């Protein structure tokens, strides 16, 4: 077939620090089909289908509005609480689902690991991108809701891509680290659901960052979802809880986690087929 | 010679042996054991991840492959044979890059496609069409390659009518046909095939072997692991025999297969411990022992034609949920050419067994009708209609000439079978 540009592979015992990006590119069609499988399989044989993508954040919005908005009367900075929480729930839902899905993806696709060689990083990557499709749908609902409540974003809207990017890489980075650990240590699978619960309370989803003393904001931003959520609120609701320092801290920690995730994954990949 | 496609240099692979921890037998012991468990589990897992680091040499490792040096050239059809656990599947997994070697290097020139399982990644909820694309891309094809082959794949599979139906509605035969036709349309320079391809029904096996023959004839390099020695001889022009992780023979198929047969046809012990055999199952049901006796209840692995052959199988159930389940045992007996001559199936013979924690299954062949020769035994256990344990080439026994008809005269002809015959004259 392509004898002229014959590929030469060298197999040895050394583990790589980084995935082979050229090879990942060669498998880009596989990535596409894995994402397609992820989405189709998830919503097959369900009545509402892809509608589930918006039901989860909408449902949480209702619960939060009743409990935190009406009963606990949490300060929502002058914005109707339902909008205040939904703006946070849209990125949060993506983050928690994508992280959980990519963390579980490796152990859920063992036959792809033990019976064939593919660039295995595509498995958590496709799980994360699959959830991103859900995010786009609920993001559109968010826009509709905002327009309904007469919140019109100004030119700051361009920054939304930065926050979405931050949201994506931190979900992928955490999912990658947890997924790699979950292959060896089953404990991760049991700890994940309540870990995510804790993570939510550590992020300003139900409350506002200004409830935290200002001097701790930099430390608070070590949780990248703080910056993402407050970034969304800043753009759509004009709530000023975000600073450049917080953005820098969150980006640094996310990139650091991504590097750690990729290296940890690549170092561990060689024993994937042996430990399961 | 620079012409090789695959060259391995000292490939070795080591696995840790997972030891079952001794069970404590006192209440205090159980409690202490419980407290230590997390630490022990962590150590165990650590050990597993260090498995490839060859700096520490310990007794609790097993070398699945030891210093394999091979050169495979363009156009060669190489059959790899060997007993269970000899390391041949490990070699395939290393060459297909599923697992890494502990030591050594391999150089591979050209695109490799490995078929260790049919239909890897098939998803029940997706349609036939979507699964063709998914499975094809998992096997390393690009979308445009699949586009080009799509019509051919569908036609070959014979499921064109249902191509837009989710494959969960397919029969298992349709599913295998679809999966195989995707695999058959791969065009790699090197095709690596594991014997699992040959587990389908007889028709499928034939089709599979036929297609592999085509692939081989079209000038590609094939690596083929199989227990089916006849198909190895007919397909391959070179055979590599691996035993205990080492190459024991390499060359002309007939010559190597014969050498291999000589060693496995050695008559084995009459009582065989099966508990330590490596298995791919989850070990919830295992055969632990096989004992062979003649009609005088004497342990032996050597019988005369017409003797009673008694087999006693011991089993152990490790999973409580299987207790009281239905057990079906199949004993298949192969001759020295690895052709199945008898297949004894407890269920078809009208016997049903319920599982206990552990127990024995007896099987007796009265007046064994097999001719002189060496035979090997394969065992299968089916629990609740699912395959629970498979052991191939458990042991061998020999049949010597004997007095089948009870007339006091031993038949010394070389016939394969005996049966009672009635004679008369007018």
């Amino acid at each position: 077939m392509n004898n002229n540009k014959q590929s030469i592979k060298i197999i040895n015992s050394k583990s790589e620090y980084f995935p082979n990006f050229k090879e990942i590119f060669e498998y880009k069609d596989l990535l596409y089909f894995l994402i397609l499988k992820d989405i189709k399989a998830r919503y097959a044989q369900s009545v509402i289908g892809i509608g589930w993508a918006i039901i989860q954040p909408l449902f949480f919005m209702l619960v939060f509005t009743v409990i935190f908005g009406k009963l606990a009367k949490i300060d929502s900075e002058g914005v109707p609480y339902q909008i205040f929480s939904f703006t946070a729930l849209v990125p949060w839902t993506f983050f928690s689902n994508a992280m959980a899905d990519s963390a579980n993806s490796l152990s859920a696709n063992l036959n792809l690991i033990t019976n064939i060689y593919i660039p295995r990083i595509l498995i958590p990557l496709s799980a994360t991108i699959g959830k991103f499709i859900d995010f786009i749908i609920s993001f559109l609902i968010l826009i509709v809701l905002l327009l309904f409540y007469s919140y019109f974003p100004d030119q700051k809207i361009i920054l939304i891509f930065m926050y979405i990017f931050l949201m994506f890489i931190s979900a992928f980075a955490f999912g990658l680290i947890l997924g790699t650990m979950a292959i060896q240590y089953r404990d991760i699978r049991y700890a994940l659901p309540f870990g995510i619960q804790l993570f939510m309370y550590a992020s300003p989803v139900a409350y506002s960052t200004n409830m935290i003393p200002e001097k701790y904001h930099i430390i608070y931003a070590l949780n990248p979802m703080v910056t993402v959520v407050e970034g969304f609120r800043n753009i759509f609701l004009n709530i000023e809880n975000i600073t450049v320092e917080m953005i820098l801290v969150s980006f640094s920690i996310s990139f650091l986690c991504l590097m750690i995730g990729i290296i940890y994954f690549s170092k561990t990949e060689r024993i994937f087929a042996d430990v399961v | 010679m620079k012409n090789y496609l695959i060259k391995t240099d000292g490939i070795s692979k080591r696995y840790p042996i997972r030891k079952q921890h001794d069970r404590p037998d006192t209440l205090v012991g159980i409690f202490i054991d419980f407290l230590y468990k997390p630490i022990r589990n962590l150590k165990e897992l650590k050990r597993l991840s260090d498995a490839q680091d060859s700096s520490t040499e310990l007794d609790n490792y097993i070398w699945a492959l030891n210093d394999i040096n091979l050169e495979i050239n363009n156009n060669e059809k190489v059959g790899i044979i060997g007993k269970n656990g000899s390391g041949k599947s490990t070699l395939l997994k290393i060459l297909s890059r599923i697992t890494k070697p502990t030591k050594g290097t391999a150089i591979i020139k050209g695109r490799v496609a490995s078929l260790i399982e049919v239909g890897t990644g098939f998803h029940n909820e997706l349609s036939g069409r979507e699964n063709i694309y998914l499975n094809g891309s998992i096997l390393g094809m690009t979308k445009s390659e699949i586009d080009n082959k799509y019509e051919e794949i569908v036609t070959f599979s014979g499921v064109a009518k249902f191509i837009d139906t989710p494959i969960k509605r397919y029969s298992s035969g349709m599913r295998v046909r679809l999966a195989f036709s995707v695999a058959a349309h791969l065009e790699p320079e090197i095709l690596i095939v594991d014997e699992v391809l040959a587990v389908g029904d007889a028709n499928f096996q034939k089709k599979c072997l036929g297609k592999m023959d085509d692939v081989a004839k079209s000038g590609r390099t094939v690596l083929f692991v199989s227990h089916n020695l006849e198909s190895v001889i007919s397909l391959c022009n070179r055979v590599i025999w691996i035993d205990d992780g080492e190459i024991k023979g390499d060359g002309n198929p007939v010559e190597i297969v014969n050498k291999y047969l000589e060693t496995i046809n050695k008559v084995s012990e009459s009582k065989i411990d099966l508990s330590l055999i490596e298995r791919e199952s989850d070990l919830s049901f295992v055969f632990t022992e096989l004992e062979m006796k003649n009609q005088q209840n004497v342990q032996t692995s050597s019988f005369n034609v017409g003797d009673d052959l008694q087999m006693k199988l011991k089993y152990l159930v490790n999973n409580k949920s299987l207790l009281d389940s239905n057990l079906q045992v199949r004993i298949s007996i192969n001759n020295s050419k690895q052709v199945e001559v008898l297949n004894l199936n407890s269920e078809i013979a009208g016997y049903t067994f319920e599982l206990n924690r552990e127990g024995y299954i007896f099987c007796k062949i009265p007046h064994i009708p097999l001719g002189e020769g060496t035979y090997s035994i394969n065992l299968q256990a089916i629990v609740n209609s699912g395959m629970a344990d498979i052991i191939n080439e458990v042991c061998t026994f020999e049949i010597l000439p004997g007095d089948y008809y009870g007339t006091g005269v031993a038949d010394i002809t070389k016939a394969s079978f005996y049966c009672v015959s009635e004679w008369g004259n007018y």
Side-chain angles (χ1 to χ4, degrees):
Chain A
M1 202 183 331
N2 45 359
N3 283 324
N4 42 346
K5 47 164 192 162
Q6 208 178 38
S7 65
I8 294 183
K9 286 178 214 94
I10 294 175
I11 296 170
N12 56 29
S13 60
K14 294 188 193 76
S15 54
E16 323 292 335
Y17 280 98
F18 290 101
N20 182 344
F21 291 104
K22 187 174 152 255
E23 188 181 69
I24 292 174
F25 183 74
E26 281 166 16
Y27 275 89
K28 59 184 185 307
D29 291 341
L30 174 60
L31 179 64
Y32 169 75
F33 289 116
L34 284 175
I35 297 166
L36 205 69
K37 174 191 101 167
D38 192 59
I39 297 166
K40 288 222 173 170
R42 189 143 29 103
Y43 296 119
Q45 222 178 59
S46 89
V47 182
I48 307 173
I50 200 116
W52 282 107
I54 53 170
I55 285 178
Q56 195 190 345
L58 278 177
F59 181 77
F60 270 107
M61 177 186 84
L62 283 176
V63 174
F64 280 15
T65 306
V66 172
I67 295 175
F68 298 112
K70 294 279 184 279
L71 298 178
K73 298 213 179 351
I74 284 183
D75 173 25
S76 57
E77 315 218 9
V79 174
Y81 188 85
Q82 53 274 35
I83 283 292
F84 175 80
S85 60
F86 195 67
T87 312
L89 278 165
V90 167
W92 172 258
T93 307
F94 165 79
F95 178 80
S96 59
N97 288 346
M99 181 169 77
D101 249 36
S102 49
N104 288 327
S105 62
L106 289 166
S107 18
N109 285 294
L110 288 182
N111 63 337
L112 291 187
I113 290 172
T114 53
N115 287 327
I116 194 113
Y117 176 81
I118 57 170
R120 284 141 180 167
I121 204 158
L122 294 180
I123 298 171
L125 185 61
S126 66
T128 311
I129 298 177
K131 286 294 178 187
F132 193 72
I133 309 294
D134 283 12
F135 167 78
I136 291 173
I137 293 163
S138 56
F139 187 75
L140 294 177
I141 300 292
L142 173 66
I143 300 286
V144 172
L145 215 62
L146 285 165
L147 295 178
F148 180 77
Y149 280 90
S150 315
Y151 284 95
F152 301 105
D154 52 18
Q155 68 275 14
K156 271 191 306 215
I157 186 90
I158 195 77
L159 287 176
I160 197 73
F161 293 107
M162 178 181 81
Y163 294 119
I164 290 176
F165 180 65
L166 175 63
M167 168 188 86
F168 187 88
I169 58 165
S170 39
F172 179 60
F174 291 166
L176 194 59
I177 295 175
L178 291 171
T180 311
M181 288 169 82
I183 280 241
Q184 273 194 88
Y185 309 107
R186 299 271 154 92
D187 313 51
I188 300 296
R189 254 178 267 176
Y190 310 125
L192 197 62
F194 76 80
I196 286 177
Q197 286 268 305
L198 287 180
F199 209 140
M200 187 179 83
Y201 292 114
S203 311
V205 178
Y207 56 89
S208 165
T209 302
N210 73 5
M211 295 176 89
I212 312 262
E214 197 156 347
K215 55 179 173 180
Y216 297 127
H217 279 193
I218 289 289
I219 299 168
Y220 194 38
L222 285 173
N223 171 0
M225 282 314 284
V226 171
T227 299
V228 173
V229 166
E230 289 302 342
F232 269 60
R233 284 185 180 145
N234 177 250
I235 286 167
F236 294 119
L237 307 172
N238 261 317
I239 296 172
E240 301 281 349
N241 279 334
I242 190 90
T243 60
V244 176
E245 288 80 21
M246 285 168 73
I247 295 174
L248 288 177
V249 168
S250 291
F251 263 102
S252 316
I253 196 88
S254 292
F255 275 115
L256 184 70
C257 286
L258 186 64
M259 289 299 279
I260 292 173
I262 287 177
I263 292 172
Y264 179 42
F265 182 89
S266 309
K267 293 283 278 178
T268 316
E269 193 182 355
R270 60 174 192 172
I271 60 158
F272 275 1
D274 299 338
V275 292
V276 293
Chain B
M1 192 150 78
K2 278 258 171 235
N3 224 352
Y4 62 86
L5 279 191
I6 299 176
K7 184 181 178 175
T8 73
D9 187 12
I11 288 279
S12 307
K13 176 79 180 176
R14 187 178 65 180
Y15 285 109
I17 303 167
R18 268 171 271 192
K19 282 198 187 120
Q20 196 79 177
H21 187 73
D22 295 330
R23 284 247 173 80
D25 46 7
T26 63
L27 199 59
V28 178
I30 290 170
F31 184 68
I32 293 172
D33 187 61
F34 176 75
L35 289 180
Y36 270 112
K37 205 156 191 171
I39 301 167
R40 212 174 48 231
N41 285 348
L42 192 70
K43 272 190 192 153
E44 193 88 343
L45 285 165
K46 273 264 154 56
R47 207 156 60 86
L48 212 55
S49 46
D50 296 338
Q52 329 243 338
D53 150 30
S54 49
S55 55
T56 48
E57 194 73 36
L58 287 168
D59 292 342
N60 27 1
Y61 288 108
I62 182 167
W63 287 96
L65 281 181
N66 206 349
D67 198 23
I68 299 288
N69 296 296
L70 273 179
E71 213 166 282
I72 291 169
N73 299 316
N74 205 355
N75 256 331
E76 278 190 309
K77 331 293 167 212
V78 183
I80 301 178
I81 58 172
K83 283 189 302 222
N84 281 338
S86 59
K88 52 193 194 313
S89 291
T90 307
L91 181 62
L92 283 202
K93 285 197 167 185
I94 288 174
L95 293 179
S96 0
R97 294 203 293 161
I98 292 166
T99 185
K100 285 223 168 206
T102 312
K103 280 197 291 198
T105 356
I107 299 169
I108 295 182
K109 293 180 183 168
R111 215 165 75 150
V112 179
S114 49
L115 294 177
I116 296 207
E117 178 195 52
V118 189
T120 306
F122 260 31
H123 199 289
N124 269 339
E125 298 287 352
L126 301 184
S127 69
R129 181 195 306 273
E130 289 158 342
N131 271 308
I132 289 178
Y133 278 96
L134 180 62
N135 185 235
S137 59
I138 286 171
L139 291 172
M141 290 196 256
T142 63
K143 184 172 177 300
S144 60
E145 280 175 282
I146 307 171
D147 284 336
N148 290 337
K149 292 264 164 67
Y150 181 76
E151 290 304 322
E152 261 179 82
I153 293 176
V154 174
T155 319
F156 187 86
S157 72
V159 298
K161 247 166 102 182
F162 310 98
I163 204 68
D164 287 313
T165 313
I167 61 159
K168 63 179 170 184
R169 313 231 182 278
Y170 282 27
S171 70
S172 57
M174 284 162 73
R175 195 185 296 231
V176 167
R177 285 211 300 277
L178 184 69
F180 181 68
S181 49
V182 179
H185 289 84
L186 277 172
E187 283 190 348
E189 277 100 32
I190 302 163
L191 181 65
I192 295 182
V193 186
D194 202 352
E195 59 194 331
V196 282
L197 262 186
V199 291
D201 55 50
N203 253 338
F204 171 64
Q205 275 189 29
K206 235 185 243 164
K207 201 169 176 178
C208 183
L209 291 173
K211 192 71 196 179
M212 274 195 48
D213 213 19
D214 291 351
V215 170
K217 282 197 186 102
S218 70
R220 272 169 267 158
T221 302
V222 181
L223 253 78
F224 177 44
V225 160
S226 182
H227 271 142
N228 186 340
L229 298 174
E230 306 232 333
S231 61
V232 167
I233 289 177
S234 68
L235 269 178
C236 304
N237 54 21
R238 172 178 171 191
V239 166
I240 294 170
W241 163 31
I242 294 183
D243 195 21
D244 277 338
E246 282 167 23
I247 296 179
K248 288 283 153 72
D250 181 352
N252 177 287
V254 178
E255 209 173 284
I256 303 293
V257 165
N258 282 340
K259 266 193 199 163
Y260 168 65
L261 285 175
E262 272 169 33
T263 64
I264 63 163
N265 288 331
K266 259 191 269 165
V267 178
S268 54
E269 307 272 305
S270 55
K271 187 171 181 177
I272 299 108
D273 183 4
L274 307 174
S275 54
L276 291 175
I277 290 180
E278 274 194 54
R279 293 161 162 97
E280 290 194 0
S281 70
D282 62 354
L283 305 184
S284 49
F285 174 97
V286 281
F287 286 122
T288 54
E289 199 181 88
L290 169 69
E291 202 183 316
M292 287 181 287
K293 284 179 179 173
N294 64 13
Q295 65 266 45
Q296 281 94 29
N297 279 324
V298 177
Q299 273 190 21
T300 177
S301 57
S302 166
F303 301 86
N304 295 102
V305 180
D307 280 359
D308 292 350
L309 169 58
Q310 304 192 64
M311 286 172 277
K312 188 164 109 180
L313 276 166
K314 191 177 179 185
Y315 69 80
L316 182 67
V317 173
N318 289 320
N319 181 345
K320 283 205 182 90
S321 64
L322 289 184
L323 294 180
D324 301 325
S325 301
N326 182 4
L327 168 69
Q328 180 189 349
V329 180
R330 286 188 203 157
I331 301 174
S332 121
I333 296 180
N334 295 339
N335 68 13
S336 59
K337 294 191 180 103
Q338 299 291 297
V339 175
E340 186 174 52
V341 290
L342 285 179
N343 191 317
L344 311 168
N345 184 321
S346 63
E347 195 164 288
I348 293 176
Y351 296 88
T352 47
F353 304 115
E354 277 178 9
L355 284 182
N356 298 317
R357 176 83 180 82
E358 57 179 17
Y360 292 94
I361 301 287
F362 296 95
C363 176
K364 176 176 162 185
I365 310 175
H367 307 297
I368 190 154
L370 296 174
E372 191 185 343
T374 312
Y375 297 85
S376 63
I377 296 180
N378 295 346
L379 286 177
Q380 293 183 353
I382 293 134
V383 175
N384 290 337
S385 27
M387 193 60 78
D389 199 14
I390 302 181
I391 312 174
N392 289 329
E393 284 145 34
V394 178
C395 66
T396 50
F397 60 88
E398 68 177 336
I399 300 282
L400 303 169
D403 175 18
Y404 182 79
Y405 305 101
T407 53
V409 186
D411 185 351
I412 48 159
T413 57
K414 293 285 176 198
S416 309
F417 278 100
Y418 289 81
C419 69
V420 175
S421 52
E422 288 171 5
W423 299 75
N425 72 333
Y426 296 103

